[in-house]
């Protein structure tokens, strides 16, 4: 029994073709939307590529850009087929191409669905990328005189101001690295010498943070140096009082920003996938309803359209049998080739009679 079997007359076939033509052009616009989302996400990721450890995060925007281009191409082609289906003479040239085209549409729809899933599942990979990238970026914060790294201070400062965050996991991350350049240290000062000597790696570590960690909404002037020294500031206790520094780490801030963006895009891609699937089903019904016309010279006669010629279970069984036959055929061919090789390798025995 055929799956989704529908009876059509000429009027219904015309309406289906016209509706599909319109839906295909909507799908072209949806493809442009997907392409635009991918381009926007790629630009946003490139803005902060300095604080990302690798380029794996660009897999999602690249996939969206590719899916957008393919969607425009596939649906533009399908729109032409639907338009020509109104004229039997024009539709005849598309008949041999429809089955391969529908098979490509199935593959394309599966790819769209996978891209939508990846949009929801990229959070873990993005988190590790940001964690390592921010850690490296903070190490280079002080290298304002080093070629290739002189921009890192500005990048990190702008990032912390824009996203209202501080450090990788929090403001205390700045206590573990030397973020003040040696150029601005007075090495004749006893305090500087003591701090450098007290560190195994010879770094100048302070319980302070860059100015970009300060919260401008705080009523108290920013305490960015000697953050953990209660006696250095009047009426201050860093353990109990709410600091006037951003509490949230930049990794969490960026992760929420990008994962929220990708989740929204994933939801849009799922809607596009549902729309594309409905277009593909409609095109299959149109294809089978036109092929099953009993009398091609009488376009007004009734016909039947279906999505699958047999039930889903029977179609699956048939596909498995075809795969098994193909496997056996390949084995037979391989065996025949091996036998031919063995025969060719044998030397015929020659008997001489005296």
């Amino acid at each position: 029994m055929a799956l989704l079997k529908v009876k059509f007359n000429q009027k219904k076939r015309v309406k289906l073709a016209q509706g599909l033509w319109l839906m295909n052009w909507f799908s072209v616009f949806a493809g442009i939307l997907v392409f635009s989302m991918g381009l926007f996400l790629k630009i946003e990721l490139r803005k902060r590529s300095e604080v990302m450890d690798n380029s794996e995060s660009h897999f999602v925007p690249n996939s969206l850009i590719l899916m957008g281009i393919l969607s425009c191409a596939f649906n533009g082609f399908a729109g032409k087929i639907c338009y020509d289906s109104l004229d039997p003479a024009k539709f005849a040239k598309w008949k041999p191409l429809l089955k391969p085209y529908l098979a490509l549409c199935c593959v394309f729809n599966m790819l769209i669905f996978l891209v939508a899933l990846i949009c929801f599942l990229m959070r873990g990979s993005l988190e590790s990328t940001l964690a390592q990238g921010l850690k490296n970026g903070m190490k280079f914060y002080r290298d304002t005189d080093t070629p290739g790294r002189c921009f890192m201070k500005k990048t990190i400062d702008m990032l912390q101001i824009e996203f209202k965050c501080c450090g990788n996991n929090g403001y205390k991350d700045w206590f573990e690295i030397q973020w003040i350049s040696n150029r601005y240290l007075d090495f004749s000062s006893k305090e500087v010498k003591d701090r450098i000597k007290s560190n195994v790696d010879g770094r100048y570590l302070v319980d302070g943070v860059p100015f970009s960690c300060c919260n401008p909404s705080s009523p108290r002037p920013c305490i960015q140096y000697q953050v953990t020294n209660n006696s250095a500031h009047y009426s201050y206790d860093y353990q109990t009082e709410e600091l006037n520094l951003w509490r949230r780490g930049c990794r969490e801030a960026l992760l929420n920003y990008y994962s929220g963006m990708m989740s929204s895009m994933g939801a849009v891609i799922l809607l596009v996938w549902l729309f594309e699937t409905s277009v593909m089903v409609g095109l299959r019904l149109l294809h089978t309803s036109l092929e099953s016309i009993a009398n091609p010279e009488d376009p007004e006669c009734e016909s039947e359209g279906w999505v699958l010629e047999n039930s889903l279970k029977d179609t699956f069984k048939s596909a498995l049998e075809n795969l098994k036959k193909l496997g056996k055929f390949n084995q037979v061919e391989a065996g025949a080739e091996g036998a031919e090789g063995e025969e060719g390798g044998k030397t015929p025995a020659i008997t001489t009679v005296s």
Side-chain angles (χ1 to χ4, degrees):
M1 184 180 176
L3 182 68
L4 287 178
K5 198 172 185 179
V6 183
K7 283 190 176 182
F8 289 93
N9 54 29
Q10 187 189 21
K11 189 177 179 181
K12 284 184 178 180
R13 285 193 297 269
V14 169
K15 282 186 176 180
L16 178 61
Q18 290 173 339
L20 284 172
W21 178 83
L22 190 62
M23 287 176 73
N24 274 296
W25 284 109
F26 276 125
S27 295
V28 169
F29 290 120
I32 294 170
L33 175 64
V34 172
F35 176 85
S36 303
M37 288 192 304
L39 197 61
F40 173 74
L41 182 58
K42 193 171 185 68
I43 291 169
E44 285 295 304
L45 288 170
R46 280 197 178 277
K47 279 182 185 177
R48 297 166 189 97
S49 58
E50 296 88 355
V51 293
M52 293 186 177
D53 186 43
N54 53 45
S55 58
E56 286 179 10
S57 53
H58 288 272
F59 177 75
V60 172
N62 290 340
S63 301
L64 292 177
I65 289 169
L66 179 62
M67 289 298 106
I69 293 170
L70 289 177
S71 179
C72 291
F74 272 92
N75 289 293
F77 182 70
K80 174 65 176 170
I81 292 174
C82 293
Y83 182 78
D84 286 350
S85 66
L86 298 171
D87 184 353
K90 288 182 179 179
F91 181 71
K93 64 181 180 181
W94 298 116
K95 276 188 177 182
L97 298 174
L98 271 172
K99 279 189 178 179
Y101 174 76
L102 286 167
L104 285 174
C105 282
C106 287
V107 175
F108 173 66
N109 284 338
M110 284 191 287
L111 288 175
I112 289 181
F113 186 73
L114 285 175
V115 170
L117 286 182
I118 289 168
C119 287
F120 291 110
L121 300 174
M122 273 296 288
R123 185 181 176 92
S125 174
L126 189 62
E127 185 174 9
S128 59
T129 297
L130 286 168
Q132 190 59 43
L134 282 165
K135 187 178 179 181
N136 293 334
M138 288 170 65
K139 286 179 183 177
F140 302 144
Y141 183 87
R142 64 173 180 167
D143 297 338
T144 52
D145 298 327
T146 307
R149 297 178 185 172
C150 53
F151 58 87
M152 191 56 74
K153 180 184 182 301
K154 181 182 176 182
T155 300
I156 297 290
D157 283 333
M158 293 302 295
L159 178 69
Q160 293 188 148
I161 291 169
E162 183 181 351
F163 285 90
K164 299 179 179 179
C165 59
C166 184
N168 190 346
N169 299 306
Y171 69 92
K172 288 185 180 180
D173 292 337
W174 289 107
F175 300 174
E176 300 171 4
I177 61 170
Q178 181 181 336
W179 56 272
I180 301 173
S181 174
N182 289 338
R183 180 182 178 183
Y184 304 107
L185 294 176
D186 181 10
F187 286 95
S188 62
S189 169
K190 186 178 182 301
E191 183 192 350
V192 173
K193 287 179 181 178
D194 290 343
R195 280 189 179 275
I196 291 174
K197 285 179 182 178
S198 65
N199 187 269
V200 177
D201 299 326
R203 293 179 296 169
Y204 181 76
L205 303 182
V206 292
D207 55 344
V209 296
F211 78 96
S212 52
C213 283
C214 295
N215 180 359
S217 302
S218 174
R220 181 170 186 155
C222 186
I223 297 173
Q224 65 178 110
Y225 293 106
Q226 296 184 326
V227 175
T228 59
N229 187 356
N230 293 333
S231 61
H233 312 283
Y234 177 73
S235 184
Y236 175 74
D237 185 352
Y238 85 96
Q239 290 182 328
T240 57
E241 185 179 345
E242 186 174 347
L243 300 178
N244 51 7
L245 304 175
W246 300 118
R247 292 272 187 175
R248 186 171 62 161
C250 289
R251 178 171 58 88
E252 182 189 349
L254 283 172
L255 185 63
N256 290 341
Y257 175 70
Y258 284 121
S259 59
M261 189 187 296
M262 286 184 185
S263 296
S264 301
M265 289 180 178
V268 173
I269 301 300
L270 279 178
L271 290 175
V272 172
W273 172 73
L274 288 171
F275 195 74
E276 291 281 359
T277 303
S278 63
V279 170
M280 184 183 70
V281 170
L283 190 61
R284 173 64 175 167
L285 287 171
L286 179 65
H287 168 225
T288 50
S289 66
L290 288 169
E291 277 201 333
S292 63
I293 292 175
N295 184 9
E297 294 179 2
D298 181 18
E300 294 185 5
C301 67
E302 289 190 349
S303 63
E304 291 183 341
W306 55 83
V307 176
L308 292 175
E309 194 168 358
N310 300 313
S311 65
L312 196 62
K313 186 179 178 181
D314 292 338
T315 304
F316 185 69
K317 282 183 179 179
S318 176
L320 282 178
E321 285 175 5
N322 289 333
L323 285 172
K324 286 178 182 177
K325 285 179 183 177
L326 186 64
K328 286 179 182 178
F329 180 72
N330 289 336
Q331 286 176 2
V332 169
E333 279 192 341
E337 286 176 3
E340 284 177 7
E342 286 177 5
E343 286 176 5
K346 288 178 182 178
T347 27
I350 300 171
T351 308
T352 54
V353 181
S354 56

